[in-house]
């Protein structure tokens, strides 16, 4: 894993561009899909938090999936949901403590952030760089 | 890497891939009812039949269930030859006779231009096509709460002894994946009932939205080492809580820097 997705709420203005970008980057039947990133009011004046999947190391979604439909992509580090394997049991939706595995009712499918296969569109479009995808410095890398 | 052709187009696949998987990957629409990527193929519904041949077979060909047929070098696969379509129509014709009220079978029949069955209609035929997908998925999830019981004409899917199944967790995976939507369940404000057993559903401690059953959550918590508290809040409220928590941290750094 050579890149890290970084969220910096200090500069988020709550413009919701990331949400739109995500929906258009994950279309279905020619229509935008459900966004996997949510700019939510952080509870203080002019404070927004773009909530999205943290691609946890010991991820509850992966543990909860009894059919192994959720697997980490070794190249991007994202936990990807294989829609063909998903049996729609909703275990991951219920298990994620950050609420980042969710049902897309329009597509009748469970969806989560996949880091767009290694080129997160939300980060491209974020006008204030509250979202960025940055190379990990060698010294920061965990051994191995 | 295995190389072969589908409808004349050269394709590549990994050793051990099944034909149907590659056909789908190529965006070709071959019908299937009993197939799901999560479980081993079973070849029960016969709808995924395709025609295969090889150069050295001298024009001879045969029909195989593509979900069960591993890819081979040099294979020549045809998915929509006149003969395959005729065979598929015959299979659909039989399904139509046995399950005359199934909307899924009717949809398939109209797609293939089968307007009515040439066989004698089973008047009391239900919508279960006995594809066994529900039992395979349930077993794969580790529950094995339902199975095929009875023989011949009386075969049906049911829990052991046809009693409320003790091994069922009410995860609904059987019902959600049944190709003909035959498996019924009902929902109440705080419970759901399937296979004759009623389960308590969890309600979000913040907004009250119902999520999965208590049995399923407890099973996941116990066998997969997930804190049970994770299941007490719904996904919407989890996202809101996350924003509030991060918000407090950001606000704290703001104040420190100010
Ligand atoms: S979906 Fe949730 S549990 Fe899974 S990796 Fe993302 S944040 Fe973690
Ligand atoms: S909903 Fe799909 S991805 Fe999520 S745990 Fe169930 S089978 Fe796995
Ligand atoms: S609801 Fe019960 S019978 Fe159906 S798949 Fe889940 S555990 Fe098995
Ligand atoms: S999908 Fe191949 S036999 Fe049913």
């Amino acid at each position: 894993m050579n890149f890290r997705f970084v969220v910096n709420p200090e500069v988020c203005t709550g413009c919701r561009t990331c949400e739109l970008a995500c929906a258009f980057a994950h279309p279905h039947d020619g229509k935008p899909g459900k966004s996997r990133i949510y700019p939510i009011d952080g509870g203080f004046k002019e404070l927004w938090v773009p909530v999205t999947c943290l691609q946890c190391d010991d991820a509850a979604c992966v543990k909860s999936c009894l059919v192994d439909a959720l697997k980490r992509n070794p190249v991007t580090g994202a936990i990807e949901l294989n829609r063909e394997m998903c049996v729609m049991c909703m275990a991951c939706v219920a298990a994620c403590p950050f609420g980042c595995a969710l049902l897309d009712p329009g597509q009748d499918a469970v969806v989560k952030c996949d880091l767009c296969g290694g080129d997160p569109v939300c980060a491209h479009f974020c006008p204030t760089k509250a979202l960025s995808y940055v190379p990990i410095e060698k010294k920061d890398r965990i051994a191995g | 890497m295995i190389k072969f052709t589908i409808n004349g187009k050269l394709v590549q696949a990994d050793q051990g891939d099944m034909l149907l998987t590659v056909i789908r990957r190529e965006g070709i629409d071959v019908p299937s009812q009993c197939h799901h990527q999560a479980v081993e193929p079973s070849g029960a519904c016969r709808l995924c039949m395709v025609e295969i041949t090889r150069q050295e077979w001298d024009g001879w060909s045969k029909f195989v269930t593509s979900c069960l047929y591993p890819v081979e070098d040099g294979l020549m696969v045809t998915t929509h030859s006149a003969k395959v379509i005729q065979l598929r129509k015959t299979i659909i014709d039989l399904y139509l006779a046995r399950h005359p009220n199934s909307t899924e079978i009717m949809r398939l029949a109209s797609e293939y231009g089968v307007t009515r069955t040439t066989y004698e209609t089973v008047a009391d035929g239900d919508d279960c096509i006995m594809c066994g997908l529900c039992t395979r998925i349930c077993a794969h999830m580790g529950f094995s709460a339902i199975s095929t019981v009875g023989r011949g004409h009386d075969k049906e899917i049911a829990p052991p002894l046809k009693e409320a199944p003790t091994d069922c967790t009410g995860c609904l995976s059987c019902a959600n994946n049944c190709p003909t939507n035959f498996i019924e369940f009902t929902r109440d404000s705080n419970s759901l009932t399937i296979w004759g057993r009623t389960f308590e559903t969890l309600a979000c401690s913040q907004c009250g939205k119902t999520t999965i059953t208590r049995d399923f959550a407890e099973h996941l918590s116990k066998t997969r080492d997930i804190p049970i508290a994770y299941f007490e809040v719904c996904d919407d409220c989890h996202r809101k809580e996350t924003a509030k928590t991060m918000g407090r941290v950001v606000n704290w750094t703001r104040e420190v820097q100010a």
Side-chain angles (χ1 to χ4, degrees):
Chain A
M1 211 184 306
N2 302 312
F3 284 83
R4 186 191 283 151
F5 187 78
V6 180
V7 180
N8 185 2
E10 270 121 295
V11 292
C12 174
T13 59
C15 71
R16 313 191 87 97
T17 308
C18 54
E19 206 174 6
L20 262 183
C22 182
F24 278 94
H26 298 93
H28 178 74
D29 275 349
K31 289 192 288 277
K34 195 177 174 82
S35 173
R36 300 106 200 259
I37 184 160
Y38 287 85
I40 300 176
D41 184 349
F44 294 90
K45 190 167 172 275
E46 284 170 17
L47 186 63
W48 291 83
V49 179
V51 176
T52 190
C53 173
L54 306 171
Q55 320 294 348
C56 315
D57 281 339
D58 187 27
C61 60
V62 174
K63 290 203 279 190
S64 76
C65 185
L66 301 177
V67 300
D68 292 331
L70 287 157
K71 286 201 191 83
R72 191 176 305 272
N73 178 323
V75 179
T76 63
I79 292 164
E80 297 177 346
L81 190 152
N82 181 335
R83 194 175 291 186
E84 249 80 68
M85 279 179 64
C86 172
V87 296
M88 301 286 286
C89 70
M90 301 297 137
C92 55
V93 178
C96 172
F98 308 108
C100 288
L102 36 111
L103 178 71
D104 181 342
Q107 306 190 33
D108 196 19
V110 176
V111 297
K112 75 170 286 298
C113 167
D114 56 0
L115 292 177
C116 297
D119 190 17
V121 172
C122 53
H124 274 293
F125 281 85
C126 176
T128 65
K129 296 280 165 282
L131 305 169
S132 53
Y133 196 54
V134 295
I136 302 175
E137 298 287 337
K138 275 225 171 63
K139 61 178 169 57
D140 290 353
R141 266 187 231 167
I142 306 154
Chain B
M1 199 55 89
I2 308 279
K3 289 195 180 101
F4 63 104
T5 67
I6 301 175
N7 300 338
K9 182 184 169 207
L10 186 66
V11 293
Q12 292 191 343
D14 290 325
Q15 178 103 40
D17 277 354
M18 296 296 160
L19 277 183
L20 183 62
T21 313
V22 187
I23 290 169
R24 291 268 160 92
R25 204 189 295 149
E26 289 297 311
I28 300 164
D29 186 25
V30 164
S32 73
Q33 297 285 325
C34 71
H35 180 75
H36 195 289
Q37 283 293 130
V39 291
E40 292 293 315
S42 80
C45 78
R46 308 269 126 193
L47 279 162
C48 68
M49 291 270 203
V50 295
E51 191 173 359
I52 59 165
T53 184
R54 305 183 68 88
Q55 205 84 64
E56 61 272 23
W57 287 0
D58 275 334
W60 185 78
S61 71
K62 66 173 178 178
F63 299 106
V64 295
T65 41
S66 61
C67 68
L68 269 180
Y69 203 90
V71 296
E72 284 168 9
D73 263 318
L75 210 61
M76 298 191 284
V77 183
T78 319
T79 61
H80 287 77
S81 66
K83 277 196 274 181
V84 187
I85 289 182
Q86 192 46 52
L87 181 61
R88 250 175 240 156
K89 279 186 170 175
T90 310
I91 299 166
I92 293 169
D93 191 349
L94 275 162
Y95 275 125
L96 207 52
R98 276 201 237 154
H99 314 284
N101 305 315
S102 162
T103 43
E104 172 60 18
I105 297 299
M106 284 190 250
R107 185 198 61 78
L108 199 63
S110 77
E111 193 184 315
Y112 274 81
V114 182
T115 45
R116 57 194 186 88
T117 181
T118 55
Y119 298 89
E120 198 178 325
T121 302
V122 181
D124 61 348
D126 64 28
D127 291 359
C128 173
I129 60 167
M130 294 303 288
C131 71
L133 188 56
C134 54
T135 60
R136 280 181 288 143
I137 288 179
C138 184
H140 187 56
M141 299 200 54
F143 303 129
S144 298
I146 46 173
S147 58
T148 313
V149 297
R151 284 161 189 278
H153 200 72
D154 293 324
K155 263 207 307 200
E156 61 172 318
I157 306 290
L161 308 167
K162 297 200 193 172
E163 284 169 7
T166 44
D167 295 331
C168 178
T169 56
C171 74
L172 301 183
S173 299
C174 52
N176 286 339
N177 294 283
C178 169
T180 60
N181 272 319
F182 172 68
I183 303 172
E184 281 172 17
F185 63 92
T186 53
R187 251 181 210 285
D188 225 297
S189 54
N190 54 4
S191 71
L192 70 82
T193 303
I194 188 165
W195 300 113
R197 188 169 155 198
T198 301
F199 295 86
E200 178 197 345
T201 45
L202 296 178
C204 172
S205 63
Q206 312 292 308
C207 73
K209 182 168 107 171
T210 54
T211 59
I212 58 176
T213 68
R214 181 174 294 283
D215 283 74
F216 192 31
E218 282 174 356
H219 173 84
L220 294 167
S221 174
K222 222 183 299 147
T223 61
R224 297 279 167 144
D225 189 28
I226 301 167
I228 194 77
Y230 287 11
F231 297 99
E232 283 158 11
V233 177
C234 75
D235 61 319
D236 295 327
C237 294
H238 265 142
R239 289 194 293 278
K240 285 186 196 141
E241 281 184 354
T242 307
K244 293 275 176 311
T245 311
M246 283 181 79
R248 272 199 300 275
V249 175
V250 175
N251 188 57
W252 178 80
T253 47
R254 263 187 194 172
E255 283 174 358
V256 169
Q257 281 160 6

